[in-house]
Structures are given as C-alpha cells and as structure tokens.
C-alpha cells in the first residue's frame, strides 16, 4: 500500500469507456502509475474505488465493510448472474443460499463429476478422431454443457445439446456486450431460465425425479430463511448458476491447451502418477491467463482504512487479474511457473481468479474445486490420452476483450487416441 492518507484520484468526468477499452489492464496500469493499491475514479457517472493486492482483497471481502446487493450493474445481473442469484445476496440470506451450493461440493460429488467428465471426454475424443480438425473451445463448450447437465440431474436430449450450449455460453461470452448482442444474451437468459424452471415445476409435481443431492433436486426443494421454498424463477437462476460456470470452464480448457503448446517442457511432468504437479500446472493456468478481470461490491457504511475514507454506497472493484500478477505477491509473475504452487500457502486473498475470501460465509466461487477437477481431467486427456497436431493459427488473446480466449479457439488436427 502507498501509506498515504489521501487516496489517489484519477482525473476526468468518467472512465467507463477507458475501463471497457483497456479491459484486464485498466486497474493494474493505474495501480502501477499511482504506486498505490487503491485509487478513486468515476464509473457510470458515479464515484468508484478500484483496489487490488492481498491486503486490499482481505478488506474487500470483509462483510462488515462491503456488500454485494446493488453492486453489480443491472445489465450484468440480467445476463451473467441472473436476478435474485446468490452473488447478489448478503448476510444470513447469503449464507443460507450459499450453504445449498456448498452441499453440492462434497468430495463424493466432485468425484462423481470427475467420473462423468472422464466418460464424456472419451466419447468426445472418439468423435474427434473421425474429423480432420476441431476447434477445441467450441467442442469444449458442448462437452462441458453435457457434463454439467448430467452431473446436475438436468435432462438433456441429444437434439437440444447445441441450443442449450449456445444459451449457457452466451451468458458468459457476452455478459458485458452492448446493442443487439446484449439483447440476444438477455433472450438466452430467459430461455435458459424457462427451460430449467419447467424442469423444477416437474420435480415439484412429482413428474421428474432427479437424483437426491443433485443440483436440480437441491434447488427444487431449497427453503429460504423463513421456511418458504424458492420461487421457481429464483430456483432456476441458481440451477443455471451451476450449469453456466461449468460450461465456462471451456475458456480455461482452451488456455490449458495453449499452455501445453506454449510450454511443451511441461508435458513430461504431467503424468497420471504426478497428480500433485498436475494440480500446480492447473493452478498456474488459472493464475497466468485472463479469466474474470475484476469483481464488484459496495461500501456498506462509512469507514476509515489506513487513513483513507470509504463512503457508504460507493462502488468498489477488486482487481482479480492484477492481484494474480502482482509482483509483490508472485515472483516473476509474467513467467509461467507451476512450481510456484508447490510452496503456496493457500492464502484466500492472493490467488483469486474466481474471487477470494471464505467459501462458506463469503463470496468466493463455490465451484472452484469443480474447475480444478475438470481441468485436471482435461490435462490428462490432452497430454496422456490423445495425440494431435497444432496447425498454424492465431493463438494470441486479447487483454481488452472480456472474457478473453485464444482468437482461433485453439485448432487441433489429426487427433488420435493413444494406445
């Protein structure tokens, strides 16, 4: 931290266009220029505080000082999160809802998910061997949609796989879009919620019987603080809040393949017998490549921190990408070095690709274990179970497009199953 009492202030009437134009680097570049982990600016016509680094993250996730209700722009709520979703709740209401998500993350459930992923990867790989080439990102979205629905107890007919994949993908691919693309994403949200809402009503009517402890079962029967069952729309939002993030792991899978291509010296270390190193590799992919640029909250009430004033109601953005690349936290942060995670102390505030803080009482993504597990299964296939060629293509990725991904989607050619 800078240690100064006056928080650095960015000049200008509004920096919203700069944020969209600069993307992942908007907050990190200003943190460097101000030599401060906090600075004031104006976004969407209102004052805002941007913050990053381990200590700022710990402050940001203090529920006594920041709240999520009313923090996310309505257009993002209506696309990415869904109205009434767990990401927009605070206090006991949040803890009650989050407990339902955490019940799905028990080790036996994660193991079942990884088993489903293994079988779906086998099926997809057999299909890919019959094709001249594939675009991994495109295939991974469908693969993960299938995995998500099967694990969540959501029936998915073969003829609707493409439609549901497109609907769920739109929610994270175009969450911050504008114009016609934004309204297309809104339609995708409505279709996804209508689809899942219909399934929930069938469960409640006794016409559909998903496995107990599955996502569809849990949220069809989940009760809020007052004992009332979730309304159908909100229950659908929360089921989609499982299906959407699992499908979004497709971005990480594209970056995983890119990492294997850019750093081929890693492949010999990624053996089935070396699972701990595979975990380090996966974590480094999540640290090194861009995923979410930042996350938001609002100041809950006036307070002082290190002599700097935080005013009630002010929007705050936590720099996720910049914290994962902070040279004060990570040695040589712009180098790809999985070994760094062999000594990592598992702090909840320095490695935050999917948010920080506590899983149960805070807003750290409940599905982080799901992400790591699915990526490890994928690494095993890409390294140990398949052979393939990587043709010439544009593997660059933008630091302004959010979310970012390899521009080619990562093309793989002449895919074969290893004996």
């Amino acid at each position: 931290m800078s240690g100064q009492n006056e928080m650095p202030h960015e000049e200008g009437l509004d920096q919203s266009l700069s944020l969209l134009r600069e993307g992942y680097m908007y907050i990190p570049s200003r943190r460097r220029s101000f030599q401060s982990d906090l600075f004031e600016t104006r976004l969407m016509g209102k004052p805002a505080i941007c913050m990053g680094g381990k200590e700022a993250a710990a402050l940001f996730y203090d529920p006594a000082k920041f709240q999520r209700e009313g923090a996310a722009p309505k257009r993002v709520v209506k696309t990415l999160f869904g109205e009434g979703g767990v990401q927009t709740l605070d206090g006991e209401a949040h803890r009650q809802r989050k407990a339902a998500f955490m019940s799905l993350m028990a080790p036996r459930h994660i193991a079942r998910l990884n088993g489903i992923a293994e079988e779906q990867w086998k099926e997809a790989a057999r299909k890919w061997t019959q094709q001249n080439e594939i675009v991994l990102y495109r295939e991974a979205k469908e693969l993960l949609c299938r995995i998500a629905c099967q694990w969540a107890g959501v029936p998915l007919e073969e003829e609707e796989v493409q439609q549901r994949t497109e609907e769920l993908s739109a929610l994270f691919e175009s969450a911050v879009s504008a114009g016609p693309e934004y309204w297309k994403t809104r339609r995708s949200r409505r279709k996804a919620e209508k689809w899942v809402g219909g399934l929930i009503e069938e469960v409640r009517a006794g016409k559909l019987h998903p496995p107990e402890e599955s996502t569809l079962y849990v949220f069809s029967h989940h009760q809020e603080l007052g004992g009332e069952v979730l309304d159908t729309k909100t229950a659908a939002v929360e089921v989609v809040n499982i299906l959407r993030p699992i499908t979004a792991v497709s971005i990480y899978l594209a970056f995983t393949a890119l990492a294997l291509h850019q750093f081929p010296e890693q492949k010999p270390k990624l053996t089935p017998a070396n699972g701990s190193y595979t975990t380090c590799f996966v974590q480094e992919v999540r640290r090194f490549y861009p995923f979410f640029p930042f996350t938001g909250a609002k100041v809950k009430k006036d307070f002082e921190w290190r002599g700097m004033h935080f005013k009630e109601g002010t929007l705050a953005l936590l720099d996720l990408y910049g914290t994962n690349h902070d040279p004060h936290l990570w040695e040589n942060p712009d180098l790809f070095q999985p070994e760094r995670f062999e000594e990592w102390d598992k702090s909840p505030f320095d490695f935050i690709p999917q948010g920080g803080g506590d899983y149960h009482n805070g807003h750290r993504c409940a599905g982080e274990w799901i992400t790591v597990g699915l990526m490890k299964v994928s690494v095993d296939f890409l390294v140990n179970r398949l052979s393939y060629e990587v043709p010439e293509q544009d593997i660059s990725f933008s630091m302004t497009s959010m979310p970012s991904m390899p521009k080619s989607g990562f093309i793989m050619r002449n895919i074969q199953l290893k004996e």
Side-chain angles (χ1 to χ4, degrees):
M1 305 298 297
S2 67
Q4 59 188 24
N5 290 338
E6 193 71 30
M7 194 181 299
H9 182 81
E10 183 174 23
E11 298 298 328
L13 294 176
D14 193 273
Q15 299 298 329
S16 300
L17 291 179
S18 295
L19 185 148
L20 291 174
R21 186 169 54 246
E22 298 178 42
Y24 292 88
M25 299 310 298
Y26 171 78
I27 301 178
S29 65
R30 285 153 181 79
R31 286 172 58 200
R32 284 194 298 271
S33 63
F34 286 128
Q35 297 185 347
S36 171
D37 281 346
L38 293 93
F39 65 90
E40 290 181 301
T41 187
R42 291 186 68 85
L43 299 171
M44 297 176 288
K46 297 180 180 180
I49 297 170
C50 296
M51 49 204 298
K54 185 175 182 177
E55 293 172 355
L59 176 69
F60 181 87
Y61 284 104
D62 182 345
K65 293 182 170 62
F66 290 91
Q67 67 182 45
R68 270 59 191 172
E69 183 179 356
K74 290 183 179 179
R75 60 189 303 110
V76 174
V77 172
K78 291 176 182 293
T79 54
L80 184 65
F81 297 145
E83 294 179 283
V86 65
Q87 297 95 335
T88 65
L89 301 179
D90 292 294
E92 193 58 36
H94 174 262
R95 283 188 288 273
Q96 177 88 352
R97 189 85 61 82
K98 188 70 175 286
F101 280 91
M102 295 307 298
S103 73
L104 301 168
M105 304 303 155
R108 67 183 185 280
H109 297 322
I110 302 296
R112 186 173 73 87
L113 175 67
N114 293 340
I116 291 171
E118 175 101 4
E119 293 305 311
Q120 289 289 353
W121 258 101
K122 289 179 183 176
E123 186 65 30
R126 283 192 288 267
K127 181 181 71 174
W128 297 343
T129 62
Q130 306 303 311
Q131 301 173 240
N132 179 47
E133 66 180 32
I134 67 160
V135 178
L136 180 61
Y137 175 64
R138 189 183 305 151
E139 297 290 330
K141 288 191 292 184
E142 180 180 309
L143 169 67
L144 286 157
C145 178
R146 292 177 184 272
I147 292 168
C149 290
Q150 184 177 343
W151 181 70
V154 173
L156 184 67
E157 300 297 331
E158 188 63 32
E159 59 269 20
E160 65 177 334
V161 171
Q162 182 177 353
Q163 175 190 346
R164 302 310 180 192
T165 299
E166 290 175 356
E167 289 170 0
L168 293 171
S169 300
L171 304 184
F172 58 84
E173 288 179 338
S174 305
V176 295
S177 59
E181 190 69 21
Y182 170 74
W183 292 106
K184 179 182 176 183
T185 305
R186 286 281 301 273
R187 288 194 296 273
S188 294
R189 163 63 67 177
R190 286 194 294 270
K191 289 177 182 177
E193 290 180 5
K194 182 178 179 181
W195 162 50
V196 174
L199 297 174
I200 289 168
E201 290 178 351
E202 288 187 37
V203 173
R204 291 174 173 175
K207 298 177 181 179
L208 182 63
H209 303 281
E212 288 193 18
E213 299 185 321
S214 69
T215 301
L216 184 59
Y217 183 93
V218 166
F219 284 107
S220 293
H221 298 283
H222 177 70
Q223 295 181 351
E224 294 286 78
L225 284 171
E228 68 276 11
V229 176
L230 274 178
D231 64 272
T232 300
K233 185 181 185 303
T234 305
V237 164
E238 301 300 32
V239 174
V240 172
N241 273 332
I242 288 288
L243 303 181
R244 168 189 51 79
I246 292 178
T247 305
V249 175
S250 54
I251 296 174
Y252 274 142
L253 296 199
F255 279 127
T256 296
L258 179 60
L260 293 169
H261 178 64
Q262 291 183 316
F263 310 105
E265 71 280 1
Q266 294 292 326
K267 291 182 180 180
K269 306 174 188 178
L270 299 168
T271 64
N274 199 6
S276 60
Y277 189 81
T278 301
T279 299
C280 293
F281 177 85
V282 163
Q283 298 290 51
E284 182 69 346
V285 170
R286 297 174 64 230
R287 186 200 69 83
F288 185 80
Y289 293 99
F291 194 56
F292 289 119
F294 44 76
T295 188
K298 275 189 174 182
V299 177
K300 193 171 185 177
K301 58 184 178 181
D302 285 22
F303 70 91
E304 300 283 333
W305 188 68
R306 298 193 170 183
M308 292 178 280
H309 183 68
F310 291 72
K311 185 178 180 181
E312 179 179 345
T314 303
L315 173 68
L317 297 182
L318 177 65
D319 182 10
L320 302 181
Y321 177 82
T323 300
N324 291 334
H325 286 257
D326 192 327
H328 298 105
L329 303 175
W330 305 98
E331 185 177 355
N332 299 318
D334 294 328
L335 296 182
F336 188 86
Q337 296 177 333
E339 293 82 1
R340 71 176 78 243
F341 281 96
E342 292 175 346
E343 304 298 328
W344 178 53
D345 64 2
K346 298 185 179 180
S347 163
F349 301 115
D350 58 6
F351 177 51
I352 53 174
Q354 291 174 260
D358 178 71
Y359 289 105
H360 293 272
N361 298 317
H363 284 265
R364 193 181 190 102
C365 177
E368 202 163 11
W369 296 308
I370 285 177
T371 301
V372 171
L374 290 172
M375 290 176 70
K376 290 182 69 173
V377 171
S378 302
V379 167
D380 183 46
F381 270 87
L382 291 170
V383 174
N384 303 309
R385 315 278 283 276
L386 299 176
S387 65
Y388 55 90
E389 299 168 2
V390 181
E392 284 292 320
Q393 58 188 287
D394 187 354
I395 58 173
S396 66
F397 53 91
S398 170
M399 294 302 292
T400 58
S401 298
M402 300 178 285
S404 182
M405 65 191 73
K407 289 182 179 177
S408 66
F410 201 84
I411 300 169
M412 299 163 58
R413 183 175 292 169
N414 191 26
I415 298 172
Q416 303 293 326
L417 290 166
K418 292 182 179 180
E419 295 298 329

